[in-house]
Amino acid sequence: MTPIHYTVEAADLHAHLFRVTLTIAEPMPLQTVSLPVWIPGSYLVREFSKNLQQLQAKQGRRSASIIQRDKCTWDIACKEGQPLELSYEVYAFDNSVRTAWLDSQRGFFNGTSLCLRVHGQEEQPHRLQLQAVKNQADWQAATGLAPLKTDKRGFGLYQADNYDELADCPVEMGAFWRGSFTACGIPHHFVVSGALPSFDGARLLADTQKICEAAIHFWHGQGKQASNKAPHKNYLFMLNAVNDGYGGLEHRNSTALICNRVDLPRQTSPRTNDGYTTLLGLISHEYFHTWNVKQLRPDAFSRYNYTQENYTTLLWFFEGFTSYFDDILLCHAGLIDNATYIKLLGKTITQVQQTPGRHVQTVAQASFDAWVKYYRQDENTPNATVSYYTKGALVALCLDLSLRQEGHTLQAVMRGLWKRCKAGPMHEQDLLDELQTVSSRNWQKEIQAWVHSTEDLPLRDVLTSQGIEVHAEIASMAQRLGLRVSETSGSVQIKAVLRSSAAESAGLAAGDEWLGMEVGAKAQGGSWRLGKLDELPALMGREHKGVALVSRDKRMLRLPLTLPAQASHWRLAVPADRKAGQWPAV
């Protein structure tokens, strides 16, 4: 008998309930089980146990007593020498990549949401039995787990070496589209749920294959042995196409993705739109994580503690560097040109420059505080914190272009880190050591300034060193005022007010609805309805001062506003005479 065995059944599609039966062959006299409170890769305590119900335990025909120790942990009193069987239900109605979902169209779950952890037996083999879904003859199942005995639709028995592997291999079920390809000799599979009939699966497969080959070559070179050096022997992409959504979560040999279905490639439209480019960047990002965070990982992730936060100051490296290389790999794969890449980079730079919090929090602090700040964003987030994704990507940019000035590349550093740390945890000192190995000089000063201080990065200097032109471009009215807004149906809703901005000086606040403007004397007809911020110049004419008419908590407010001088942000450009083969294309 397998030491740990789970049977998962889609018990009620309309009630969104999975039923799980967990059999422990040799339980301890007082067997403890628990459900994780977070999922690796998404740094927030999500309390998955809130969805667990109807927990029961028995040995043979005898019920076993259950004592709940805390919010997610239970003790079961057992008799020695008899298997213990636990049964319970899990409510699954979170259509994200992080938890679980079940309805009449699709099922999905991560092991962290469904599979209780058996304390003391985490290193034992774990098996997962996926039951075919009743009255859903067209449903299939897909997972990165190793199959032992499955039917042609993918339902049946799967094996994991331990609990960590079980938790790191999500499961997709439904009447999904399926395709496959080989990248550098490694089998890859792709399943897509929710696609439109015009979906061009062949194009998605071809483009993803290019990304995967570019990533494998990035880490292991062009040789025939590259596939033998890769950390995975097969890989699965699981994409959920929805009306409105975006995101991904990396796993050891798979990834769960979500995108707007209109961003999928269509057979009727051979051109690449911005949404599809964004999706390819997401695919590249999550696949790059197969190396960077799933194998190379900080000491805090050497062994996951599923019961609490796992703190690290290195997310700027694991997420930020991955965010830098994801679009670079699209260049390597020939899916975007240098001009498109530079445009994407310019957006990242603008995003960081429009975040006052970069002068409040270092990117190392942002990494450590992810649990309470990045994943719990509110109206003050841009004023108090900086993204370890975007600023981390710019730290990588500065390192890469500084290294290139000396005849080296950040890619060489990443390959060196792979050899140095793939068998053990990575520390910041390992990065410093590898930078010195590659370049023969110390980089402590740069890392201190770029990672551990709130100084602005030397972006203009490193970009111009590679021949990239930096131009000033007129900022939008929202950027000029220091606002983040949503504009729908002729209504301007304020989402955030940036620190030390004209909007803050006027007294505008998050949650306000900006209704209109008073400009000049009322007798001259100076009160106007505001439908979009870009209408302000037309409404104000030559005036620089006016009164903003605002609705706040059903009260009408008149807030004096002084329109600031024209502001600008960076626009990057690749000069026409730039030599082929220069960064970022390789």
Side-chain angles (χ1 to χ4, degrees):
M1 178 181 293
T2 304
I4 311 295
H5 187 284
Y6 303 84
T7 298
V8 173
E9 174 190 359
D12 192 326
L13 303 183
H14 300 304
H16 318 293
L17 291 174
F18 283 105
R19 180 176 295 115
V20 182
T21 302
L22 165 59
T23 303
I24 306 169
E26 298 181 1
M28 299 179 184
L30 187 66
Q31 181 62 62
T32 301
V33 296
S34 66
L35 198 65
V37 303
W38 71 291
I39 181 169
S42 184
Y43 308 107
L44 177 66
V45 172
R46 298 184 184 275
E47 313 291 20
F48 299 131
S49 61
K50 68 183 180 181
N51 295 315
L52 189 148
Q53 61 191 42
Q54 300 288 344
L55 177 61
Q56 299 177 18
K58 65 179 182 179
Q59 287 186 291
R61 296 182 179 181
R62 183 185 68 87
S63 295
S65 64
I66 302 173
I67 299 174
Q68 186 164 0
R69 182 192 300 177
D70 57 33
K71 62 186 179 182
C72 62
T73 309
W74 296 263
D75 291 332
I76 300 98
C78 302
K79 292 182 65 175
E80 293 188 35
Q82 292 187 19
L84 171 65
E85 181 180 287
L86 304 177
S87 62
Y88 53 94
E89 296 173 340
V90 174
Y91 178 70
F93 203 57
D94 178 7
N95 199 15
S96 74
V97 298
R98 299 177 295 267
T99 53
W101 171 267
L102 183 65
D103 70 357
S104 60
Q105 303 302 308
R106 171 180 175 262
F108 171 83
F109 67 87
N110 288 284
T112 46
S113 290
L114 257 67
C115 299
L116 287 167
R117 181 169 61 96
V118 181
H119 291 217
Q121 301 195 46
E122 293 90 344
E123 295 304 315
Q124 296 281 0
H126 288 54
R127 288 189 179 181
L128 176 68
Q129 178 75 38
L130 291 178
Q131 298 286 71
V133 184
K134 296 178 182 178
N135 303 318
Q136 299 289 341
D138 58 346
W139 275 34
Q140 305 174 69
T143 178
L145 288 169
L148 290 181
K149 186 178 181 181
T150 59
D151 62 24
K152 61 181 181 181
R153 293 189 293 152
F155 293 101
L157 188 61
Y158 291 87
Q159 170 98 5
D161 288 340
N162 48 48
Y163 184 82
D164 280 350
E165 183 178 5
L166 179 74
D168 208 16
C169 293
V171 174
E172 177 80 24
M173 299 186 295
F176 48 68
W177 175 92
R178 189 168 202 155
S180 61
F181 61 87
T182 299
C184 299
I186 300 173
H188 290 66
H189 305 280
F190 213 127
V191 300
V192 181
S193 298
L196 295 169
S198 59
F199 165 55
D200 189 347
R203 183 178 177 190
L204 180 63
L205 289 179
D207 291 345
T208 304
Q209 180 185 33
K210 294 175 183 177
I211 292 170
C212 295
E213 290 176 342
I216 295 169
H217 292 154
F218 175 95
W219 288 100
H220 306 298
Q222 300 284 340
K224 294 182 179 179
Q225 299 300 315
S227 61
N228 295 330
K229 300 176 183 177
H232 53 294
K233 301 305 178 186
N234 53 72
Y235 197 89
L236 172 65
F237 294 93
M238 293 169 282
L239 175 60
N240 181 25
V242 298
N243 180 59
D244 184 19
Y246 174 83
L249 190 61
E250 70 275 3
H251 299 280
R252 62 182 58 197
N253 69 336
S254 65
T255 182
L257 309 165
I258 188 168
C259 76
N260 295 341
R261 59 173 58 94
V262 296
D263 291 339
L264 289 172
R266 284 171 281 178
Q267 297 169 354
T268 55
S269 179
R271 294 193 307 170
T272 297
N273 58 37
D274 289 345
Y276 184 50
T277 299
T278 300
L279 173 59
L280 293 178
L282 176 65
I283 290 170
S284 178
H285 183 98
E286 303 305 337
Y287 193 69
F288 196 84
H289 271 317
T290 310
W291 292 264
N292 196 36
V293 91
K294 299 312 296 185
Q295 296 291 325
L296 284 179
R297 58 171 68 182
D299 190 37
F301 298 168
S302 294
R303 185 62 185 270
Y304 296 120
N305 183 341
Y306 294 101
T307 66
Q308 63 180 44
E309 297 88 345
N310 291 214
Y311 293 102
T312 177
T313 59
L314 288 174
L315 292 182
W316 60 269
F317 176 85
F318 293 104
E319 291 292 355
F321 280 41
T322 299
S323 296
Y324 172 65
F325 284 115
D326 56 22
D327 287 336
I328 290 283
L329 288 182
L330 297 188
C331 289
H332 291 195
L335 296 173
I336 61 174
D337 58 18
N338 280 3
T340 301
Y341 171 76
I342 292 300
K343 182 179 178 181
L344 293 171
L345 178 62
K347 289 181 178 180
T348 301
I349 291 173
T350 298
Q351 185 176 348
V352 174
Q353 290 178 336
Q354 290 289 320
T355 303
R358 76 186 191 280
H359 293 310
V360 176
Q361 184 186 53
T362 72
V363 74
Q365 292 169 337
S367 300
F368 193 85
D369 285 340
W371 300 89
V372 294
K373 292 192 175 181
Y374 185 82
Y375 280 89
R376 290 177 175 166
Q377 297 193 18
D378 58 25
E379 71 285 345
N380 193 49
T381 293
N383 295 319
T385 187
V386 67
S387 168
Y388 50 78
Y389 283 90
T390 52
K391 188 176 180 181
L394 298 184
V395 170
L397 170 75
C398 290
L399 280 174
D400 195 10
L401 301 195
S402 298
L403 284 162
R404 286 172 183 270
Q405 292 180 56
E406 302 176 14
H408 312 290
T409 67
L410 188 58
Q411 179 181 6
V413 175
M414 299 300 286
R415 285 181 175 178
L417 283 170
W418 173 254
K419 294 176 182 178
R420 179 189 294 261
C421 302
K422 64 179 179 180
M426 180 191 143
H427 302 86
E428 185 175 302
Q429 188 59 47
D430 292 307
L431 173 61
L432 288 166
D433 290 345
E434 198 57 41
L435 283 165
Q436 183 154 8
T437 297
V438 168
S439 65
S440 300
R441 77 168 179 87
N442 188 287
W443 289 78
Q444 181 67 54
K445 181 179 178 181
E446 286 84 353
I447 294 299
Q448 179 62 36
W450 301 346
V451 174
H452 297 286
S453 84
T454 56
E455 299 176 18
D456 279 332
L457 300 171
L459 295 170
R460 185 185 293 272
D461 291 343
V462 297
L463 288 167
T464 55
S465 75
Q466 295 298 313
I468 304 300
E469 297 175 348
V470 180
H471 303 280
E473 187 168 78
I474 295 176
S476 68
M477 185 54 66
Q479 293 169 335
R480 185 176 172 185
L481 290 170
L483 286 175
R484 295 187 180 177
V485 303
S486 67
E487 299 174 332
T488 56
S489 303
S491 174
V492 179
Q493 300 284 341
I494 297 177
K495 300 300 183 183
V497 178
L498 301 186
R499 188 71 67 240
S500 302
S501 64
E504 185 182 61
S505 296
L508 290 164
D512 288 352
E513 181 182 6
W514 193 346
L515 299 174
M517 284 295 297
E518 288 181 1
V519 183
K522 292 184 180 180
Q524 298 175 359
S527 295
W528 297 91
R529 184 77 166 87
L530 181 68
K532 292 183 178 181
L533 279 186
D534 288 342
E535 295 174 354
L536 267 181
L539 297 183
M540 298 188 71
R542 296 182 178 181
E543 298 289 336
H544 295 287
K545 294 185 178 182
V547 176
L549 305 176
V550 169
S551 172
R552 182 184 300 167
D553 191 29
K554 299 296 184 181
R555 294 187 177 188
M556 295 296 298
L557 304 179
R558 300 176 71 252
L559 305 176
L561 172 70
T562 299
L563 196 64
Q566 284 281 9
S568 63
H569 60 78
W570 289 7
R571 178 178 61 82
L572 307 183
V574 181
D577 60 350
R578 192 162 177 267
K579 294 180 181 180
Q582 282 185 292
W583 174 89
V586 174

